[in-house]
Amino acid sequence: MRRLTTFFIVLAMIAGSAFSAVDSDGFHGPNLLKKNPNVELYVASTKGTPKYVSGILKEAIPKGMELQAAISFFEENKSAWRMIDPATELIERQLDYDQVGGRHLRLRQTYKQLPVIGGELIVHYNANDQLTTVNGTYLADLTVDVQPTITATSASATAKADMLDTFAPGQQSSIELVVFPWQGTDHLAWRIFLLSSTPMGRWEYLIDAHNGELIFKANRIMNVEAIGTGTGVMGNPRNHIDTDDNGSNFRMIDYTRRASNNIHGHNGQMASGSVIQTYIASSSLPGTVATDADNIWDNSLTQWPAVDGHVYSALMYDWMLAQFGRNSFDNNGSSMFTSVNYSAEGDNNAYWNGSQIVIWSWSTGWRSLAGCPDVIAHEWGHAVTETTSGLVYQLESGALNESFSDMIGSAFEFAHDTMDTPDWYMGENGVIGGNGFRSASNPHEFGDPDTYGTGDPYWFDVVGCTPQYTNDWCGVHTNSGVGNKWFFLLSDGGTHNGTVVTGIGVANAIKVAYQANAFYWNSNSDYHEAALATMSAADDLDPSGAWKIQVSKAWNACNVSVPGPSLAFSYPQGVPTTLQPNVTTTFEVLVSGAVGGTPVQGSGKLHYSIDGAPFTEVVMNEKSPNLYDAVLPATACGSIVHFYVSALEQSFGQYFDPTPTDPFTAHSATSVNTLLADSFETDLGWRVTGDAIA
């Protein structure tokens, strides 16, 4: 017998360029994730970097070691993401714990110690201390000069001048130097937030730190659209309003959600200094705290919106705590402030402004939006999103932001059916004689899409769209219809575009959506990444897999393609890479169902090719249900064997692992020695003569 020795030297010379060793996919160095047998799902971004990876990626991660384990994982797989040094490029943003024992670590991307806008990865650990999923966006191949030529003061002045010219006077609340990849160019930019009170604004500006040009701006106040209203004068008395008596009058200040002041049995967990407080705003914010002499809040139209705003915000706190274990909108027990009757900017609107929710005054034919439980919950939903995934309010992430607020608004309304008749309309109490302004069950009713993509006549095409106020930040309120339809199908079930979905109930559906938003989505998640995340969330909450199947079906019904029922392959003893010459090699193959798939017993096959010959197919020996012995034939020393396995799923036919076009590879040899391996990331002293042709 002889040993097969591999000797790899890859040389390339391009004028003006450094050497680069890449694999067939264009990654720097080998992408180990693609052929890792423990990876069950691998989804790449349009730029080739992993966007969503799941499986049992690491075992036995002790609590408190999440960051170290994540950095170790990325170090082992940095070529897949085209990272240089994960330990310096990734910093911990926050570590969250869910209600089923999972831990979720959010990491921010940096470039030469500067934050990268849009760069965020999330690493997930299950209750068994396994690293199971990595998702998010890593922006590879950045090239930016990080030394600014424009000062922070100059950039702030540019932003303030623009805001004064186009909106209102603004005061700077924060400024930082960032790397901002935008529309194909990597910018060094000053990121500035400016606040104004009349009209209410919370503007984000990005000013190029090299030439001083305005790259991007957006008002980050999130609203429900200027077409809704609601009132407390709908014949629904409020018999329990938590107020404060200061000795001279009663005020809408609720202390009862504090952990130490649980006098009504709300089981609140608010901090000792936190309250739920409601203001009557008029033409300025936040306005004055709502007051009354006798604690009977029914003597004027001015008070009715305050009653519903106060009651629904308090119930929203209770519901979030009971449903998700979430202590206020930020999970830190912070105060919840509501202002009603705000008249400085117009009528029939509501928004979250970064510190409170604001309900506008109303015009003829409308009622105050404070009377809509779904609208109040919708705005608090924006607050939840801001303090979890941070979905950017533009393009698909903005549509998802809006949709989640509609989801939580609908779920809150259904959970409080004794206070308001629940339905799938948004803001139906607002329009006198109308049905509100959006529908989750039938988005087309209001001109919103129920199916992803331009095949739906109402879809707002975001390709090439530049987000701005005049196009609703590329249709965030329109394209939210797709997420709304998914949530309706997951809750109530139904047939859509030929796909039948069995509902899991609205209370369970919102748990899936919240789990995804709180722990899996990131600031730039689009619908496809969001859909994959909801499947992971369903796995977290329902280990039986029943919810995950319906999550998948509901997304596919809306034309957001995600994996359906399928098969997963694993190899208890590993996959052979070296074969002993002239003897057969046996390894185990375990076939299991994924996303509700059911393997057909006895259908497992091995496919192999020796030295480039056509593939031969053989039936594997089934030792026990769906556990097989795969036997590779005896081969001569020096042969190269390519192979893959397959099995049948009960409803969807044959599945392969890996794909027939990218099979496993094994060498027939007593051992394989690699004499040289050079990633070309460091200078090993190579000298090159001749040109690229030579």
Side-chain angles (χ1 to χ4, degrees):
M1 297 183 186
R2 62 188 176 90
R3 290 191 307 185
L4 176 66
T5 297
T6 58
F7 185 78
F8 299 103
I9 301 179
V10 181
L11 295 180
M13 187 167 74
I14 302 174
S17 299
F19 290 116
S20 177
V22 298
D23 70 8
S24 60
D25 293 325
F27 296 110
H28 295 271
N31 183 350
L32 302 178
L33 277 177
K34 276 195 168 182
K35 291 189 176 181
N36 184 335
N38 294 320
V39 171
E40 297 177 0
L41 177 64
Y42 183 103
V43 178
S45 70
T46 56
K47 294 188 176 181
T49 54
K51 189 175 184 179
Y52 209 93
V53 182
S54 65
I56 306 302
L57 306 180
K58 264 186 177 297
E59 299 268 13
I61 308 302
K63 291 178 175 59
M65 296 295 290
E66 292 83 6
L67 178 60
Q68 293 88 332
I71 296 301
S72 173
F73 171 81
F74 286 116
E75 184 65 39
E76 294 163 5
N77 298 283
K78 62 183 181 182
S79 295
W81 276 272
R82 303 203 291 273
M83 292 182 189
I84 303 301
D85 183 11
T88 59
E89 293 180 68
L90 303 175
I91 61 174
E92 181 175 351
R93 177 186 152 195
Q94 66 188 59
L95 177 65
D96 297 309
Y97 296 82
D98 64 29
Q99 290 182 288
V100 290
R103 295 112 71 198
H104 310 268
L105 176 67
R106 291 183 180 270
L107 300 169
R108 290 185 63 185
Q109 181 184 353
T110 65
Y111 177 79
K112 297 183 179 179
Q113 299 184 330
L114 294 180
V116 177
I117 302 301
E120 181 180 5
L121 292 167
I122 316 173
V123 184
H124 308 272
Y125 305 89
N126 65 15
N128 296 322
D129 297 331
Q130 297 167 315
L131 196 167
T132 59
T133 305
V134 176
N135 70 284
T137 301
Y138 176 84
L139 298 160
D141 309 323
L142 296 173
T143 54
V144 182
D145 177 2
V146 297
Q147 296 300 320
T149 53
I150 302 298
T151 66
T153 301
S154 176
S156 180
T158 298
K160 288 178 179 178
D162 179 86
M163 186 167 166
L164 179 63
D165 184 54
T166 60
F167 189 72
Q171 295 297 317
Q172 179 180 304
S173 66
S174 65
I175 185 168
E176 64 175 338
L177 192 63
V178 300
V179 175
F180 180 47
W182 181 245
Q183 296 184 337
T185 301
D186 299 333
H187 299 270
L188 180 71
W190 290 106
R191 187 188 196 193
I192 306 162
F193 279 91
L194 301 178
L195 304 178
S196 67
S197 57
T198 306
M200 172 60 68
R202 186 188 178 214
W203 285 82
E204 177 185 16
Y205 276 85
L206 285 143
I207 306 295
D208 194 293
H210 288 309
N211 59 29
E213 293 181 357
L214 171 60
I215 307 169
F216 180 81
K217 67 176 183 179
N219 192 346
R220 292 311 186 190
I221 283 179
M222 306 165 193
N223 59 57
V224 257
E225 292 185 328
I227 55 175
T229 190
T231 184
V233 189
M234 299 186 71
N236 296 323
R238 304 302 177 213
N239 297 320
H240 184 137
I241 305 171
D242 289 305
T243 60
D244 169 63
D245 181 5
N246 67 0
S248 59
N249 56 31
F250 297 91
R251 303 177 299 171
M252 282 193 174
I253 304 175
D254 176 7
Y255 303 97
T256 67
R257 269 69 183 179
R258 292 178 179 176
S260 59
N261 191 33
N262 190 21
I263 58 176
H264 293 300
H266 295 117
N267 295 317
Q269 296 296 320
M270 273 189 165
S272 60
S274 295
V275 296
I276 295 171
Q277 187 162 303
T278 302
Y279 300 87
I280 295 177
S282 185
S283 60
S284 63
L285 289 174
T288 58
V289 176
T291 60
D292 187 80
D294 60 4
N295 216 18
I296 300 174
W297 303 80
D298 61 355
N299 60 351
S300 72
L301 286 172
T302 301
Q303 289 186 345
W304 296 334
V307 167
D308 278 349
H310 195 65
V311 168
Y312 286 140
S313 288
L315 290 174
M316 183 66 178
Y317 174 87
D318 297 343
W319 182 72
M320 287 191 294
L321 188 62
Q323 187 81 352
F324 314 123
R326 190 169 188 84
N327 184 13
S328 192
F329 65 90
D330 61 355
N331 204 28
N332 288 321
S334 292
S335 293
M336 296 172 64
F337 299 121
T338 302
S339 292
V340 301
N341 301 355
Y342 178 54
S343 61
E345 298 178 64
D347 301 320
N348 316 320
N349 198 4
Y351 54 66
W352 158 255
N353 71 4
S355 58
Q356 66 167 111
I357 67 170
V358 180
I359 311 296
W360 288 16
S361 54
W362 60 98
S363 61
T364 302
W366 306 89
R367 304 184 185 96
S368 169
L369 277 167
C372 300
D374 47 7
V375 170
I376 296 292
H378 174 108
E379 299 310 332
W380 287 119
H382 281 308
V384 170
T385 295
E386 181 170 306
T387 55
T388 52
S389 63
L391 289 163
V392 177
Y393 204 63
Q394 62 198 30
L395 302 165
E396 286 190 31
S397 60
L400 192 62
N401 189 321
E402 272 298 312
S403 182
F404 176 78
S405 278
D406 279 358
M407 295 177 199
I408 206 168
S410 295
F412 177 77
E413 184 175 285
F414 273 96
H416 296 85
D417 55 359
T418 61
M419 303 194 71
D420 189 82
T421 302
D423 54 42
W424 288 104
Y425 288 109
M426 177 59 59
E428 68 281 358
N429 290 351
V431 184
I432 297 176
N435 289 327
F437 42 82
R438 279 195 294 277
S439 169
S441 60
N442 182 22
H444 281 188
E445 182 178 348
F446 294 92
D448 301 324
D450 61 16
T451 302
Y452 181 88
T454 54
D456 189 303
Y458 297 111
W459 174 260
F460 187 103
D461 191 359
V462 300
V463 177
C465 178
T466 298
Q468 52 192 334
Y469 177 79
T470 55
N471 62 20
D472 190 29
W473 312 111
C474 295
V476 299
H477 288 96
T478 301
N479 289 349
S480 62
V482 173
N484 290 353
K485 183 67 175 184
W486 167 80
F487 184 71
F488 167 76
L489 290 170
L490 183 62
S491 299
D492 276 15
T495 302
H496 185 52
N497 291 326
T499 299
V500 179
V501 182
T502 301
I504 65 173
V506 66
N508 292 331
I510 195 58
K511 287 180 179 178
V512 172
Y514 170 82
Q515 181 84 357
N517 193 8
F519 306 117
Y520 287 90
W521 295 346
N522 63 77
S523 57
N524 289 291
S525 290
D526 58 17
Y527 267 122
H528 288 91
E529 184 180 353
L532 292 170
T534 58
M535 295 176 67
S536 294
D539 258 344
D540 291 345
L541 300 169
D542 174 35
S544 76
W547 291 6
K548 186 176 184 178
I549 294 172
Q550 303 311 320
V551 166
S552 169
K553 287 183 176 180
W555 281 121
N556 284 311
C558 296
N559 198 36
V560 180
S561 299
V562 294
S566 60
L567 298 182
F569 297 81
S570 59
Y571 306 90
Q573 300 167 339
V575 177
T577 58
T578 302
L579 310 178
Q580 189 70 20
N582 302 315
V583 297
T584 59
T585 301
T586 302
F587 63 99
E588 287 186 335
V589 180
L590 178 63
V591 182
S592 55
V595 198
T598 302
V600 175
Q601 291 187 24
S603 65
K605 294 180 179 180
L606 171 68
H607 310 255
Y608 64 86
S609 165
I610 303 173
D611 294 329
F615 276 90
T616 298
E617 177 184 292
V618 295
V619 175
M620 294 188 291
N621 174 42
E622 189 173 27
K623 300 191 298 182
S624 60
N626 301 311
L627 177 64
Y628 298 90
D629 272 340
V631 182
L632 290 169
T635 54
C637 189
S639 292
I640 298 177
V641 181
H642 298 290
F643 60 99
Y644 59 93
V645 296
S646 68
L648 294 175
E649 198 280 326
Q650 184 172 277
S651 302
F652 295 92
Q654 194 170 31
Y655 285 81
F656 303 94
D657 188 59
T659 60
T661 58
D662 189 22
F664 294 121
T665 300
H667 296 85
S668 181
T670 55
S671 64
V672 176
N673 294 336
T674 300
L675 299 182
L676 173 68
D678 188 356
S679 68
F680 293 92
E681 295 293 337
T682 57
D683 184 4
L684 298 184
W686 286 98
R687 290 182 298 171
V688 180
T689 59
D691 56 21
I693 295 175

